[in-house]
Amino acid sequence: MTAQPIEQAALDAALETPEVAKPAARRRLSALRSLGPYLRRYRLRLLLALLMLCTSSAAFLAVPLAFRGLIDHGFVAGGQMQGHFLGLFGIAVLWGCASAARFYQVSWIGERITADLRSAVYHRMLDQSPEYFETTRTGEVLSRLTGDTTLVQTVVGSSMSMGLRSFFQFTGGLLMLAVTSPKLFFVTLLLLLFVVVPLVMTGRRLRKLSRESQDRIADSSAVAGEVLNAIPTVQAFTNEAYETGRFDDAVERSFTTAIRRTLMRALLTGGMIVGVFGAIVFVLWLGAQSVASGAMTAGELTSFIMYAAITAGGVGVLAEVWGDVMRAAGATERLMELMRAEPTIAAPAQPRRLPETRQARLQFDRVSFRYPSRPLTAALDGLDLDIREGETVALVGPSGAGKTTVFQLLQRFYDVGAGAIRLNGVDIRELHPNSLRAHIGLVPQEPVVFSTDALENIRYGRRDASDAEVIAAARTALADEFIVRLPDGYQTFLGERGTRLSGGQRQRIAIARAILKNPPLLLLDEATSALDAESEALVQRGLEAAMAGRTTLIIAHRLATVQQADRIVVLENGRVIEVGTPAELARSGGLYARLASLQLVS
């Protein structure tokens, strides 16, 4: 089962009407209506759960009638007392079996909806470009994926069922009150209206506080996620106390908001229970007067009391459920905000296909680009560059020259502002992003190592690779020599973010991953920068083997690593200012020559 069809349906439902255009009451309903596509997928189970709910509620509502018959007819001379007790037991059996079946069905639906919703939101986040995460903190996304979906699960898998059951009991109880004593029923109904309506109005404030509470929880999660991922830096600068205080402040704001929400919910629940029970006690007093005057039998009063208790109990549970529903509405709103986020990089309606080739030709045609977060600064300004098949080209220049931007645009993490980038003659905007990236291998300057073993970390480059192919790639990158010395060899768990490896070892894992992918275009972002001199010389041989007969683009900060490049392109302020072989540029006296004089001359 895939989450994508559900995700699209949910997205369509969420986007039917702009959120800002709806009144507050409609927004409350629309937030939960966004769950409709997820629920409709399991309509048969929902119908079964509803059937079991109706059955258990009907059995429950039959109990007072059975007691009425027992009191009025079972205790009199000649009454069939045994039959009345057997009837009560039969009702209990039916009630218990139907309740158990209902509980199982709604719990299954709740867990399934939560899993689908988490998958859909996660899928949506993976579609987002790096631009999205410039303004959205990953900690907040994780909070919504866990905390908010759990709130939705509570409502769908528990509170919704309890609410429907209580609603049936409430309405059924009112109906039976009307049948038992129309006079007392109308008095009860009038009193309930005076009690319930003001309390329902209070629920609007509760929903706003519920949303605010979830936002504060997300804030504290974001702070914790950011700091825990940077523990060495925090400790190196002895900022543990500062970060503890910052997290404590976030937690305290979350606590304060949660207490305000809890107080509002407590007042809502208490006011509803006191008001409803007060009304019912008054009605029961009237009923007692009717029994004393002979207008009602003892059995009728008993059943009326039981139905009144059922009605009051239903209202009390509805008050509790209403609080959960309000929290879930806020959580659903937050999840739908993620679902409504449109990826800035989208596949064309009819993507073109690239020919399968071991090499690639790149053309940058007057490419200009500005990062969305820095619209006044040109990262690239009219870049022209033609890279031939099988050529190795190094990008050199000071920080901020545009080298990394070239890599990000090539992988279409962003789209060019002007001009075009062509791969084998095809504008990369006409390709599906997955197809484009399948033709590119990347070795980043700061390699990513996942929380799994060495074998699977390298296999990340090509998921269908065999163990033998993975090991061969590791040997080419000279990662095999340290992997086999690990406690469990290739099955050794490498720790979160590769904490059990040195920087150089992590980089060789990344090189092996790119070699295993075997792409036509290889991007090396200073791939040997974290290695010592001996390891660098060994890995450089592995990289040369991977680069043979393949188009390679290198970002070079250390000029010693690119002396064998076919050409060096010197960038400054997003423009190409020099192009040539290392020897030609060294003689030209330009920026490269000045950088070389600083790095290469001892």
Side-chain angles (χ1 to χ4, degrees), residues 354-355 357-364 385-391 393 410 421-428 431 436 439-440 520-522 549-553 567:
L354 280 171
T357 175
R358 181 171 169 78
Q359 299 180 347
R361 181 179 181 183
L362 283 176
Q363 294 168 290
F364 291 79
L385 185 60
D386 193 341
I387 301 174
R388 298 181 295 274
E389 294 91 339
E391 188 177 20
V393 174
L410 260 178
I421 301 176
R422 295 183 177 86
L423 176 60
N424 291 339
V426 181
D427 190 323
I428 63 173
L431 301 170
L436 167 67
H439 285 71
I440 300 174
L521 177 61
L522 190 60
R550 192 190 316 276
T551 307
T552 306
L553 196 55
R567 281 190 298 160

Side-chain angles (χ1 to χ4, degrees), residues 195-209:
V195 172
V196 172
V197 171
L199 294 174
V200 170
M201 301 295 292
T202 308
R204 298 181 178 181
R205 173 63 178 165
L206 178 62
R207 178 178 175 275
K208 181 179 178 182
L209 289 173

Side-chain angles (χ1 to χ4, degrees), residues 11-232:
L11 184 60
D12 292 340
L15 294 178
E16 281 181 0
T17 307
E19 198 73 10
V20 295
K22 299 180 182 178
R26 291 185 62 195
R27 284 204 305 270
R28 285 197 299 275
L29 294 175
S30 66
L32 293 176
R33 278 204 302 269
S34 300
L35 299 176
Y38 300 90
L39 291 168
R40 283 195 293 271
R41 187 179 182 90
Y42 309 105
R43 56 176 64 89
L44 292 180
R45 284 186 177 269
L46 281 170
L47 288 174
L48 181 58
L50 183 61
L51 177 61
M52 292 299 101
L53 177 62
C54 293
T55 303
S56 62
S57 297
F60 183 52
L61 290 170
V63 171
L65 285 178
F67 270 101
R68 176 181 174 178
L70 177 65
I71 293 173
D72 285 346
H73 305 290
F75 293 148
V76 298
Q80 298 295 321
M81 182 179 298
Q82 183 177 355
H84 286 288
F85 278 108
L86 288 175
L88 273 173
F89 179 73
I91 291 173
V93 171
L94 178 61
W95 180 19
C97 292
S99 296
R102 172 196 57 81
F103 174 78
Y104 174 79
Q105 291 296 334
V106 296
S107 297
W108 188 97
I109 293 169
E111 294 291 348
R112 184 68 262 172
I113 294 302
T114 303
D116 289 347
L117 189 58
R118 282 176 178 157
S119 296
V121 173
Y122 186 69
H123 184 277
R124 196 70 174 174
M125 291 299 97
L126 290 186
D127 284 341
Q128 302 302 321
S129 69
E131 176 185 345
Y132 179 79
F133 294 98
E134 288 183 9
T135 56
T136 303
R137 294 178 296 181
T138 55
E140 182 172 350
V141 173
L142 292 175
S143 172
R144 298 188 188 193
L145 271 175
T146 53
D148 289 359
T149 52
T150 299
L151 284 176
V152 173
Q153 187 272 334
T154 299
V155 169
V156 175
S158 175
S159 297
M160 183 178 69
S161 174
M162 291 173 56
L164 286 174
R165 182 190 65 191
S166 299
F167 176 75
F168 285 175
Q169 292 175 5
F170 174 73
T171 54
L174 283 179
L175 178 62
M176 296 308 296
L177 285 175
V179 171
T180 304
S181 175
K183 174 185 174 182
L184 295 182
F185 164 72
F186 283 115
V187 174
T188 302
L189 184 61
L190 183 63
L191 292 174
L192 285 178
L193 287 176
F194 278 106
V195 172
V196 172
V197 171
L199 294 174
V200 170
M201 301 295 292
T202 308
R204 298 181 178 181
R205 173 63 178 165
L206 178 62
R207 178 178 175 275
K208 181 179 178 182
L209 289 173
S210 298
R211 168 63 190 262
E212 186 178 347
S213 176
Q214 290 305 113
D215 286 340
R216 299 292 77 77
I217 292 173
D219 289 343
S220 61
S221 297
V223 171
E226 179 183 30
V227 173
L228 292 177
N229 284 327
I231 283 294

